[in-house]
Amino acid sequence: MTDLVVRAEGLRKRFGKTQALDGVDLTMRRGTVLAVLGPNGAGKTTAVRVLATLLRPDAGSAFVAGIDVLKEPQRVRRRIGLTGQYASVDEDLTGTQNLVLIGQLLDLRTSDARRRAAELLEWFDLAEAAGRMAKTYSGGMRRRLDLAASLVGHPEVIFLDEPTTGLDPAKREDMWGVVRNQVTQGASVLLTTQYLEEADALADEIVVIDKGRVIAHDSPDGLKRRVGGLTLRVRPAEESRVPDVLRILDAVAAPGTSSSPDTAAGARPGAVSVPVTGDTALDIAVPALRRAGIEVTDLALHLPSLDEVFHSLTEGVPAKELV
Amino acid sequence: MTTLDATLDHPRGGSAAALLRHATALARRSLIKTARTPEALLDVTLQPVIFLLLFTYLFGGAISGGDRAGYLQFLLPGMLAQSLAMGGIALGQNLNADIEKGVFDRFRSLPVARSAPLVGAVAADIVRYLTVCVVMLGFGMLIGFRVQTGFVPALAAVGLSVAFGLCFCWISVWVGMLVRTPGAVQGLMFLLVFPLSFGSNVFVQTSTLPGWLQWFVHVNPITPLVSTIRGLLIGGPVASHLVVTLAWMAGLLLVFVPLALRGYARRA
Ligand SMILES: Nc1ncnc2c1ncn2[C@@H]1O[C@H](COP(=O)(O)OP(=O)(O)OP(=O)(O)O)[C@@H](O)[C@H]1O
Ligand SMILES: [Mg+2]
């Protein structure tokens, strides 16, 4: 048995004039989380749809759970769970009916399907809404029902296409908990996201794709090293204190870097940012700012945004050094 | 792992049993939706009633030279056929909407036969075609229609009607797979169903028509269906019309089921 639950090589798919996938290679080790990171239109959904047997690629090969996706899609379908980017719950059915239907299509006996549905609804905090039509659910509730639907059959490989888009921060963390829980139970999870933060929080490995091509495949740490890691951003209440803040933050700057006025795209002037190596920077910076009597209105650690990730990966230089 | 794999890869009871089970589960889904939105049944309840009233009372006198009661006897079996053909349009629209919403993506990612979601949806339409028959015959009798044959032939007429509906609706399913929006399904299907139902023997005796139109009426699948139902409800020859009708039904299935399945598979 191979250690790779997802193995795709040279996937290509064209829609009219758009080359959605332009030779994508992907691998995911059993029992891990792989995050596919990319901006709008990068080809994330297309890649997931190919792997989940919904779409035939023009070229390339893909194996999921060791089975050829193109030759034996039915066998693959018995081993995967898919939550697509757009909620695919049936609005006119209740939460329970949605999940029981899927259980029946997975050949569970109706009593088992009911039991599994109740268990999942409980787990996703939907027990109270179980008997209501899904069209009365909020966006977040639909999303959770959709996720529950992909877990009915205890899949070995789970595909989640932007599972947290549209969720509030608390529900997003809940979703992360669900993903981690699935992995402890032995599943492997491939998820797509537009946030490095999310990929960093969940994934063992990150694949960055852009315009249908893989531009990086690395561990979160490796990727962060390449794109410049954490940034500490501080906004003093009075803009006149910016020079003092610059001086204080220089003391916590990562080796070979220095603080600078924050010039990130769209940022309001008057903030200072500095690349740091870890959150211990806060232990030094916060007391120092206090001692200097500088009042701050904003102080936060940031991972590079997707923009910055792309900028540095495509330019080959950490974004910070370009400023 | 190998024993687990073996049970994983073989559906309970073999693939035919699995298709039946999955299609039944999916048909139940459609029926739940119908029960939740009864207004979706207007096209098989109120609409045929209005058509029947319109043609009996507004045009009936003129068409028949005053013999409204006699015209109703002639008209109702034909209108039943027309309503069946129209009743299938909604199916293609619903399937089209489901696909656009992504509901079918989920079914496609599950280990069910490719045809199961379509077969299930078609099977659930039995209820709509039965409704058409009950409404047409029930309301028809209220305004004076009388079955002149007997209970068994009438039952056979209902059975044939439902069966024909189930075959004819595959055209709508196919169109539902091809076009982008539910509105387009309706538009295209009306373009097909209107000439078929009006260019037939539903409303007038074929002998009153010009030659080229008679030719169209004769090659129209609605015509033998109407003749058969007429025979079964008010008397007259049945067997010869029934043979042609059954041949058309088989032909519709042979052509449009594969087309619909192919359209479904291609729809990414
Ligand atoms: N069915 C389709 N027909 C035509 N073009 C398509 C189709 N599906 C995707 N595309 C195009 O292929 C490209 C990749 O799309 P894809 O949905 O895979 O991107 P994505 O990375 O998932 O983006 P997003 O973050 O917006 O979801 C886009 O340019 C998109 O417009
Ligand atoms: Mg997408």
Side-chain angles (χ1 to χ4, degrees):
Chain A
M1 176 171 293
T2 166
D3 193 34
L4 295 175
V5 279
V6 171
R7 188 156 42 95
E9 262 169 49
L11 293 179
R12 302 176 65 81
K13 180 74 192 180
R14 192 180 186 85
F15 296 108
K17 287 201 176 85
T18 315
Q19 191 70 46
L21 296 179
D22 195 6
V24 166
D25 300 338
L26 280 176
T27 55
M28 174 163 78
R29 286 178 293 117
R30 185 175 293 279
T32 65
V33 177
L34 178 72
V36 176
L37 184 66
N40 288 141
K44 303 183 295 294
T45 297
T46 308
V48 166
R49 289 174 64 85
V50 167
L51 294 174
T53 75
L54 298 185
L55 194 63
R56 279 188 86 83
D58 301 331
S61 66
F63 291 80
V64 169
I67 303 161
D68 191 329
V69 170
L70 297 176
K71 294 213 181 88
E72 299 185 280
Q74 274 315 30
R75 288 186 64 211
V76 171
R77 289 176 191 140
R78 291 195 174 272
R79 293 163 173 82
I80 63 169
L82 167 70
T83 297
Q85 180 168 5
Y86 306 103
S88 58
V89 300
D90 202 322
E91 304 204 318
D92 297 320
L93 264 51
T94 65
T96 301
Q97 286 169 336
N98 264 291
L99 298 187
V100 169
L101 172 61
I102 288 163
Q104 289 172 328
L105 296 179
L106 283 164
D107 282 332
L108 297 183
R109 282 165 215 287
T110 304
S111 56
D112 292 338
R114 291 197 168 286
R115 198 166 318 124
R116 181 70 177 145
E119 179 180 301
L120 284 166
L121 288 164
E122 182 71 42
W123 194 36
F124 281 90
D125 202 13
L126 290 169
E128 261 167 51
R132 262 166 46 200
M133 272 188 271
K135 74 166 110 193
T136 69
Y137 285 18
S138 74
M141 290 165 80
R142 281 180 211 213
R143 204 71 195 125
R144 281 179 281 147
L145 182 60
D146 214 3
L147 188 69
S150 67
L151 302 182
V152 172
H154 297 284
E156 183 179 334
V157 184
I158 302 169
F159 297 103
L160 307 175
D161 195 359
E162 298 195 23
T164 63
T165 301
L167 294 188
D168 66 41
K171 292 289 179 226
R172 167 179 291 212
E173 304 239 328
D174 286 352
M175 187 72 80
W176 291 0
V178 168
V179 171
R180 292 195 187 103
N181 186 293
Q182 289 303 307
V183 174
T184 35
Q185 291 183 17
S188 315
V189 179
L190 186 152
L191 61 90
T192 72
T193 179
Q194 302 196 27
Y195 307 105
L196 180 58
E197 185 200 3
E198 177 159 288
D200 184 44
L202 287 175
D204 300 284
E205 286 176 36
I206 299 175
V207 165
V208 185
I209 64 173
D210 184 33
K211 302 198 184 84
R213 288 172 177 280
V214 174
I215 58 174
H217 183 172
D218 212 332
S219 65
D221 285 336
L223 194 68
K224 280 188 287 183
R225 259 197 303 282
R226 284 166 64 183
V227 299
L230 286 169
T231 304
L232 175 61
R233 202 164 288 163
V234 176
R235 178 182 297 281
E238 291 159 49
E239 210 174 325
S240 58
R241 306 295 312 258
V242 165
D244 300 325
V245 177
L246 280 169
R247 188 171 38 72
I248 290 169
L249 293 192
D250 267 338
V252 296
T257 65
S258 63
S259 62
S260 56
D262 191 11
T263 55
R268 202 152 49 85
V272 172
S273 66
V274 62
V276 295
T277 47
D279 58 8
T280 49
L282 286 174
D283 301 341
I284 301 165
V286 174
L289 289 166
R290 279 266 169 281
R291 276 197 302 277
I294 298 171
E295 202 183 322
V296 301
T297 57
D298 188 15
L299 183 149
L301 275 175
H302 294 274
L303 279 173
S305 69
L306 194 57
D307 273 353
E308 290 163 328
V309 170
F310 275 94
H311 198 175
S312 46
L313 286 174
T314 47
E315 305 290 325
V317 198
K320 294 291 164 303
E321 293 175 17
L322 291 173
V323 176
Chain B
M1 203 68 192
T2 32
T3 52
L4 179 66
D5 270 20
T7 52
L8 256 185
D9 285 331
H10 298 288
R12 196 148 50 85
S15 56
L19 174 60
L20 188 67
R21 215 167 43 234
H22 297 156
T24 308
L26 288 159
R28 257 195 80 232
R29 160 187 178 265
S30 301
L31 292 178
I32 292 172
K33 290 166 83 85
T34 308
R36 293 258 160 80
T37 47
E39 64 271 24
L41 287 176
L42 281 180
D43 64 327
V44 289
T45 51
L46 194 58
Q47 187 178 310
V49 164
I50 291 173
F51 263 62
L52 191 61
L53 287 173
L54 195 66
F55 275 90
T56 307
Y57 294 104
L58 192 70
F59 305 125
I63 296 174
S64 64
D67 179 14
R68 239 183 231 114
Y71 185 61
L72 178 61
Q73 291 297 96
F74 173 83
L75 175 70
L76 189 131
M79 292 227 59
L80 179 56
Q82 183 189 37
S83 307
L84 287 165
M86 301 239 248
I89 297 178
L91 179 59
Q93 291 182 270
N94 291 342
L95 286 169
N96 185 280
D98 276 346
I99 289 178
E100 277 309 296
K101 277 191 227 144
V103 177
F104 274 52
D105 272 3
R106 167 126 283 140
F107 301 149
R108 254 196 287 224
S109 74
L110 293 169
V112 299
R114 203 175 68 189
S115 58
L118 300 190
V119 172
V122 168
D125 247 24
I126 291 177
V127 170
R128 291 165 47 81
Y129 306 138
L130 264 178
T131 306
V132 166
C133 294
V134 170
V135 167
M136 272 309 230
L137 287 172
F139 188 79
M141 286 179 182
L142 222 61
I143 60 171
F145 178 78
R146 293 292 170 262
V147 175
Q148 289 164 269
T149 48
F151 181 68
V152 177
L155 209 60
V158 170
L160 179 71
S161 298
V162 173
F164 185 89
L166 289 177
C167 299
F168 191 80
C169 72
W170 281 97
I171 302 178
S172 171
V173 175
W174 174 56
V175 173
M177 298 301 124
L178 287 189
V179 304
R180 285 283 142 212
T181 65
V185 180
Q186 190 178 39
L188 273 176
M189 284 305 291
F190 270 140
L191 278 183
L192 175 77
V193 172
F194 261 76
L196 283 185
S197 58
F198 284 94
S200 71
N201 56 348
V202 169
F203 299 99
V204 294
Q205 299 283 2
T206 315
S207 55
T208 64
L209 304 175
W212 60 269
L213 193 50
Q214 286 198 21
W215 172 84
F216 181 78
V217 170
H218 283 304
V219 297
N220 178 349
I222 299 292
T223 302
L225 174 68
V226 171
S227 302
T228 315
I229 299 178
R230 249 180 214 142
L232 288 168
L233 290 180
I234 62 171
V238 168
S240 57
H241 299 307
L242 181 62
V243 171
V244 183
T245 309
L246 292 176
W248 265 109
M249 286 161 61
L252 286 170
L253 288 181
L254 280 174
V255 173
F256 290 101
V257 174
L259 279 177
L261 287 177
R262 207 179 58 168
Y264 177 52
R266 289 202 178 165
R267 182 98 179 216

